[in-house]
Amino acid sequence: MAGVPTLLFVCTGNLCRSPMAAALARNVLAERAEAVDVLSAGLLQGGEPATGEAVELMKRRGLDLSTHRSRRLGDALAPPPDLILGMAREHALAVVDLLPQLFPRTFTLKGLVARGRSHGPRRPGEALDTYLARVGADRSFALAGTSSADDIADPIGGDLLAYERCAAELEVAVTALAGLVWPDLARRQATT
């Protein structure tokens, strides 16, 4: 979609975490004044369906992952997305290893949310790249540092409870992300 910012979620296989995050983000962002194109990709081969557990948990939330097919990271970087969020530090680092120039727009999901809470939400009229530069100004090339707190645990191979914990964590993080990066600026301006 021309002129619409693109948000890319990245995980290992693009089978559970990143497709669940993308489905949740599409749902939350659909209510915002600014349109956002939401995609997901993984570090492994493409063409695989989402795990049955991921499909089931999203179905319980009214979201459909039944037609999802995994996509390789390299295929999702042309053209480069406006914001790239790894589910873990290794995913953000993989993006920057492929294309170092994407560092300013690459974070972990939880890392960006933490930075956004510290620096405040995107301001009315603030361009996305300006906001990302503001919240990421003091980052090192290590992206998210050394804290595993920036990672969302991979539920693959786990039971439905592990998937539910992951989905719940994603839901909280994605909702916070939307409020920080895509606050409903038009609605906020109309009420002030």
Side-chain angles (χ1 to χ4, degrees):
M1 294 187 277
V4 174
T6 304
L7 168 60
L8 174 66
F9 291 99
V10 180
C11 70
T12 304
N14 192 218
L15 303 176
C16 49
R17 286 177 291 179
S18 61
M20 288 193 298
L24 292 163
R26 280 186 209 102
N27 188 51
V28 171
L29 292 170
E31 301 171 2
R32 306 292 167 152
E34 183 180 358
V36 181
D37 189 18
V38 182
L39 308 169
S40 67
L43 307 182
L44 304 178
Q45 71 180 17
E48 300 297 320
T51 64
E53 294 88 348
V55 171
E56 175 61 28
L57 288 174
M58 292 300 101
K59 183 178 179 182
R60 291 179 187 179
R61 288 166 168 82
L63 306 172
D64 185 11
L65 279 184
S66 65
T67 60
H68 172 80
R69 293 296 175 265
S70 62
R71 182 177 184 190
R72 287 186 52 126
L73 176 61
D75 299 336
L77 295 177
D82 298 288
L83 176 56
I84 304 156
L85 298 173
M87 298 293 98
R89 292 164 291 153
E90 67 187 273
H91 307 123
L93 289 170
V95 170
V96 175
D97 282 346
L98 276 174
L99 293 170
Q101 67 270 28
L102 296 181
F103 173 73
R105 59 178 89 169
T106 304
F107 298 80
T108 62
L109 171 58
K110 288 172 67 176
L112 181 58
V113 167
R115 289 177 165 281
R117 286 180 174 148
S118 173
H119 289 82
R122 194 167 144 210
R123 300 173 185 135
E126 186 174 26
L128 178 58
D129 60 342
T130 303
Y131 176 72
L132 296 176
R134 178 165 60 90
V135 301
D138 60 345
R139 291 190 309 157
S140 71
F141 209 65
L143 290 167
T146 57
S147 174
S148 62
D150 285 330
D151 298 343
I152 293 175
D154 190 352
I156 202 110
D159 60 13
L160 197 57
L161 182 58
Y163 274 85
E164 181 54 49
R165 281 192 299 265
C166 179
E169 185 175 21
L170 286 169
E171 199 162 21
V172 168
V174 164
T175 301
L177 172 79
L180 291 164
V181 182
W182 284 283
D184 204 339
L185 299 175
R187 188 174 300 148
R188 198 171 356 150
Q189 290 170 339
T191 60
T192 56

